[in-house]
């Protein structure tokens, strides 16, 4: 640990809020000090302004273990407010640290804020990224992985090494230009390229390898799509991939030549270095796009001889119907490994979600509209508008929500008789510990992905057409993968199930960042009637207050 990091660690241990009580000694702490700055980057070979973390693009990898406490002191050295979210980390009882505009005041320029969260009862592959403005388009993202504790068996042998890849589409115009474009009411358009770990390689061009493998050994590759709008396909020249984990769940270990990874999604696969020792290409290519985009990176065998072959492994079918059918079939092949342990010793499949009665069905239909001459995206006729001054969670906690938003502007299903678009903060009440079914229906001609903060859900079905109750007979009620992101193909629907057992204010949003920015999101307010520390932490002492709550007296704290 460097001297600066050590000083931060000592200071934090002496004064940092750590939740409702002293954290148990067996849950270790990891300390990080991050400086957020602008810098010149060239993901597509074109120099442009990007967002760096400690001078790095992509940002540093966080290596953690289940139940670790993660402390990140973030210094905002940009010229704009800034927030990070820890994508896929459930923040149990702790939406205060979720890093969205609905839950936290932004970190103002020239100031710092210390995040403190625990990766409680989780394992798997995740990442972090900025949620403010269009900062995601400029960087500020990086991998976050949660390893299993030593006493928990993992359903595969320990790999020789663990490699992370953040991949995604990229735009050469700067994030401020993109924000100005969307604010003017226009669409983002097509990306300029795709990248692997912030670089876009071309076949035949000599470059430093992404990673090195030794012949005969097996490696774990974690791949996350951190892009703005483009689904990607990932494959490795000459090397099949054994899927072992997806968004925090161990999977049935099927072998794939290539894997579709949609926006916001992560997976990890085992790859054995059993080919002729030389270079090989890792390939990402766009899916469901008129203009195919491809990037490659070199995977090198130690002591290998010879460059990678210029013949890349072919992508999946790209005709409109063939591409979707292939991808749907692959989704249906993803299954939860019911014999594996997760973050606890009990098998993943001991939770029989298919036998629980549904208490509420929320059907969300996404669409786009023009409001006052400008493009907006909607969910059930409501286009979310961020409260620019006061985060929704803070307004609720300080018992002044009526001054910031109204609950339940959006209905549980679209209202066909009402064509008016409501542009306002979109907050929906949820009942604590209810078991709910959420249907995502996508009538548009482009693919959609959705994510729910604070939870994982069971992705039980994806089908073409419109959803109706009789479609439930096609649900996978046995071994659907528990995950936090689901994609919805054009003219299709997807169904997920989850228990609303995590009190807080949680963002349910499109991961197509243009759509989310222009309104395709909402917040679920899950309040525990007991107002007990057993269900939700008190507001942390270091929470920044802003807007109408800045000078208000804090309500009486929760107690046991």
């Amino acid at each position: 640990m460097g001297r600066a990091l050590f000083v931060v660690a000592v200071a934090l241990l002496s004064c940092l809020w750590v939740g409702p009580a002293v954290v148990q000694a067996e849950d270790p702490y990891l300390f990080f000090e991050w400086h957020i700055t602008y810098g010149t980057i060239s993901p597509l070979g074109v120099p442009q302004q990007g967002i760096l973390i400690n001078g790095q693009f992509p940002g540093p990898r966080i290596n953690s273990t289940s139940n670790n406490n993660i402390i990140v002191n973030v210094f905002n050295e940009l010229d704009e407010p800034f927030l990070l979210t820890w994508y896929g980390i459930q923040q149990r009882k702790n939406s205060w640290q979720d890093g969205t505009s609905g839950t936290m005041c932004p970190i103002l320029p020239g100031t710092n804020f210390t995040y403190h969260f625990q990766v409680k009862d989780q394992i798997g592959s995740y990442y972090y990224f900025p949620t403010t403005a269009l900062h995601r388009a400029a960087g500020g993202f990086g991998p976050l992985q949660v390893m299993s504790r030593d006493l928990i068996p993992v359903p595969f042998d320990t790999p020789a090494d663990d490699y992370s890849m953040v991949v995604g589409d990229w735009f050469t115009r700067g994030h401020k230009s993109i924000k100005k474009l969307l604010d003017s009411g226009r669409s983002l358009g097509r990306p300029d390229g795709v990248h692997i770990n912030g670089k876009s390689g071309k076949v035949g061009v000599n470059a430093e390898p992404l990673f090195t493998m030794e012949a005969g050994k097996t490696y774990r590759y974690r791949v996350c799509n951190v892009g703005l709008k483009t689904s990607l396909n990932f494959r490795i020249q000459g090397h099949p991939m054994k899927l072992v984990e997806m968004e925090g769940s161990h999977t049935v270990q099927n072998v794939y030549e290539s894997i579709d990874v949609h926006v916001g999604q992560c997976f990890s696969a085992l790859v054995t270095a059993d080919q002729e020792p030389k270079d090989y290409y890792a390939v990402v290519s766009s899916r469901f796009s008129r203009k195919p985009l491809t990037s490659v990176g070199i995977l090198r065998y130690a002591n290998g001889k010879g460059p990678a072959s210029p013949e890349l492994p072919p992508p999946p079918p790209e005709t409109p119907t063939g591409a979707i059918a292939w991808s749907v079939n692959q989704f249906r092949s993803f299954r939860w490994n019911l014999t594996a342990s997760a973050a606890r010793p009990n098998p993943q499949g001991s939770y029989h979600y298919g036998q629980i009665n549904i208490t509420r069905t929320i059907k969300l239909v996404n669409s786009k509209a023009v409001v006052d001459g400008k493009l907006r995206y909607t969910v059930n006729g409501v286009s979310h508008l961020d409260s620019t001054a006061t985060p929704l969670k803070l307004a609720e906690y300080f018992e002044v929500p009526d001054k910031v938003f109204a609950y339940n502007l959006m209905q549980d299903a679209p209202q066909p008789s009402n064509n008016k678009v409501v542009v306002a903060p979109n907050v929906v009440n949820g009942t604590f510990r209810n078991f709910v079914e959420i249907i995502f229906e996508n009538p548009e001609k482009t693919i959609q992905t959705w994510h729910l903060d604070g939870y994982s859900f069971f992705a039980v079905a994806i089908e073409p057409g419109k959803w109706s109750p009789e479609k439930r007979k096609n649900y996978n009620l046995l071994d659907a993968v528990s995950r936090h992101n689901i994609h919805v193909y054009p003219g299709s629907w997807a169904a997920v199930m989850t228990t609303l057992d995590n009190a807080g204010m949680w963002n349910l949003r499109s991961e197509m960042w243009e759509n989310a920015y222009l309104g395709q999101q909402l917040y679920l307010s899950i309040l525990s009637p007991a107002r007990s520390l057993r269900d939700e932490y008190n507001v942390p002492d270091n929470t920044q207050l802003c807007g109408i709550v800045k000078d208000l007296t804090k309500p009486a704290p929760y107690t046991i």
Side-chain angles (χ1 to χ4, degrees):
M1 181 182 294
R3 177 173 175 78
L5 203 55
F6 177 79
V7 171
V8 173
V10 172
L12 287 170
L13 279 173
S14 64
C15 66
L16 185 71
W17 170 87
V18 293
V22 176
V23 176
Q24 296 178 4
E26 66 267 21
D27 296 330
Y29 282 77
L30 303 179
F31 296 92
F32 303 90
E33 180 179 306
W34 285 1
H35 293 263
I36 314 300
T37 62
Y38 291 126
T40 300
I41 59 175
S42 304
L44 303 184
V46 179
Q48 62 186 103
Q49 185 186 69
I51 294 177
L52 313 180
I53 300 178
N54 291 351
Q56 299 179 43
F57 170 76
R61 181 171 71 169
I62 293 179
N63 294 317
S64 64
T65 300
S66 296
N67 295 347
N68 281 176
N69 290 278
I70 297 178
I71 314 295
V72 188
N73 194 3
V74 176
F75 290 79
N76 179 11
E77 298 174 17
L78 307 181
D79 57 356
E80 297 180 328
F82 185 80
L83 278 176
L84 285 169
T85 193
W86 316 94
Y87 187 71
I89 301 303
Q90 293 178 16
Q91 307 287 3
R92 302 299 299 179
K93 305 193 293 184
N94 195 22
S95 64
W96 310 109
Q97 305 287 309
D98 199 36
T100 64
S101 61
T103 58
M104 296 178 64
C105 301
I107 308 169
L108 297 178
T111 68
N112 69 297
F113 175 78
T114 301
Y115 288 89
H116 173 205
F117 58 94
Q118 188 177 23
V119 287
K120 181 68 173 174
D121 291 336
Q122 288 188 261
I123 56 97
S125 306
Y126 308 97
Y127 63 95
Y128 56 85
F129 70 90
T131 56
T132 37
L134 267 298
H135 292 146
R136 181 172 177 167
F141 48 71
L144 192 167
Q145 65 184 41
V146 186
M147 307 295 290
S148 293
R149 292 174 290 164
D150 288 341
L151 68 143
I152 309 298
V154 175
F156 50 86
D157 293 336
T158 302
D161 212 333
D162 196 311
Y163 295 139
S164 294
M165 293 188 187
V166 288
V167 302
D169 55 18
W170 193 263
F171 294 78
T172 53
R173 64 173 76 99
H175 69 280
K176 292 183 179 180
S177 296
I178 292 176
K179 183 179 183 298
K180 187 176 181 180
L181 182 76
L182 297 182
D183 288 342
S184 72
R186 291 177 289 172
S187 179
L188 183 56
R190 299 175 185 172
D192 299 299
V194 294
H195 72 88
I196 305 175
N197 283 356
K199 297 180 180 179
S200 181
K202 294 180 172 58
V203 173
V205 175
N206 189 30
E208 289 297 313
L210 292 168
F211 304 108
T212 299
M213 302 188 291
E214 293 185 24
K217 293 185 177 181
T218 297
Y219 296 80
R220 183 173 185 170
Y221 283 86
R222 302 174 188 260
V223 181
C224 293
N225 185 341
V226 302
L228 297 185
K229 63 184 297 181
T230 307
S231 294
L232 299 173
N233 180 268
F234 179 84
R235 51 202 185 272
I236 298 176
Q237 195 176 48
H239 292 75
M241 297 175 288
K242 180 184 289 186
L243 185 69
V244 294
E245 177 262 332
M246 181 173 286
E247 295 169 36
S249 291
H250 293 304
T251 60
V252 171
Q253 295 178 13
N254 295 325
V255 176
Y256 299 90
E257 296 297 324
S258 69
I259 298 176
D260 279 353
V261 53
H262 306 282
V263 177
Q265 296 182 357
C266 296
F267 71 85
S268 59
L270 299 180
V271 176
T272 300
D274 56 1
Q275 300 298 306
E276 176 189 352
K278 64 185 188 73
D279 288 353
Y280 293 87
Y281 285 125
V283 185
V284 293
S285 59
S286 59
R287 296 284 276 145
F288 322 118
S289 58
R290 294 180 183 177
K291 180 183 177 183
L293 301 169
T294 302
S295 179
V296 299
I298 294 173
L299 304 181
R300 177 162 294 167
Y301 275 59
N303 302 316
K305 298 179 181 178
S309 166
E311 296 182 7
L312 299 182
E318 282 298 344
T319 59
T321 55
I324 292 174
W326 187 95
S327 194
V328 168
N329 287 335
Q330 184 171 85
F331 164 80
R332 290 173 177 166
S333 74
F334 299 148
R335 301 286 174 149
W336 213 23
N337 187 340
L338 301 186
T339 64
S341 299
R344 292 174 177 265
N346 54 300
Q348 294 182 142
S350 62
Y351 181 68
H352 298 295
Y353 67 93
Q355 300 175 15
I356 303 175
N357 291 330
I358 297 167
T359 56
R360 182 180 181 184
T361 297
I362 303 173
K363 181 181 177 182
L364 303 178
V365 178
N366 59 270
S367 63
K368 59 183 177 181
V370 175
V371 179
D372 297 330
K374 294 184 178 181
L375 176 67
R376 297 293 300 184
Y377 290 93
T378 72
V379 186
N380 291 1
V382 179
S383 184
H384 175 77
L385 186 67
D386 276 331
S387 171
T388 55
T390 309
L392 307 171
K393 175 62 178 174
L394 290 177
E396 182 178 72
Y397 183 77
F398 279 83
E399 300 177 342
V400 289
D402 56 312
K403 295 183 178 180
V404 178
F405 64 90
Y407 290 103
N408 301 321
L409 292 177
M410 189 196 79
Q411 303 300 306
D412 280 4
Q415 306 301 302
S417 60
N418 185 5
N419 295 321
K420 182 180 179 181
V421 173
V422 177
V423 181
N426 191 359
V427 181
V428 175
N429 276 322
T431 302
F432 188 51
R433 292 183 177 149
N434 266 15
F435 189 68
V436 301
E437 169 189 54
I438 305 175
I439 311 300
F440 301 98
E441 197 169 275
N442 179 20
E444 302 293 325
K445 296 181 180 180
T446 54
I447 194 169
Q448 178 70 263
T449 63
W450 290 91
H451 162 79
L452 175 58
D453 281 353
Y455 294 91
S456 59
F457 48 62
F458 296 97
V460 295
I462 292 178
E463 288 191 355
K466 295 184 177 181
W467 181 87
S468 59
E470 60 266 23
K471 299 291 186 180
R472 292 184 180 125
K473 68 179 183 294
N474 299 331
Y475 286 4
N476 176 1
L477 298 181
L478 175 64
D479 59 357
V481 177
S482 176
R483 55 194 303 181
H484 57 78
N485 180 298
I486 187 67
H487 52 285
V488 194
Y489 299 99
S492 302
W493 58 267
V496 304
M497 294 175 167
T498 193
T499 302
L500 300 179
D501 60 354
N502 193 12
M505 181 80 75
W506 304 107
N507 193 206
L508 173 59
R509 63 178 176 268
S510 169
E511 279 304 308
M512 321 305 273
W513 212 239
E514 170 186 358
N515 299 38
Y517 181 76
L518 294 178
Q520 212 155 77
Q521 58 175 299
L522 59 100
Y523 282 84
L524 280 174
S525 172
I526 313 298
L527 293 175
S528 164
R531 297 180 66 84
S532 168
L533 287 174
R534 288 189 297 267
D535 301 327
E536 185 175 14
Y537 294 159
N538 283 309
V539 60
D541 291 339
N542 72 329
T543 294
Q544 300 176 99
L545 301 181
C546 54
I548 64 172
V549 305
K550 185 173 183 180
D551 298 316
L552 295 182
T553 301
K554 287 184 180 181
Y558 297 155
T559 59
I560 296 294

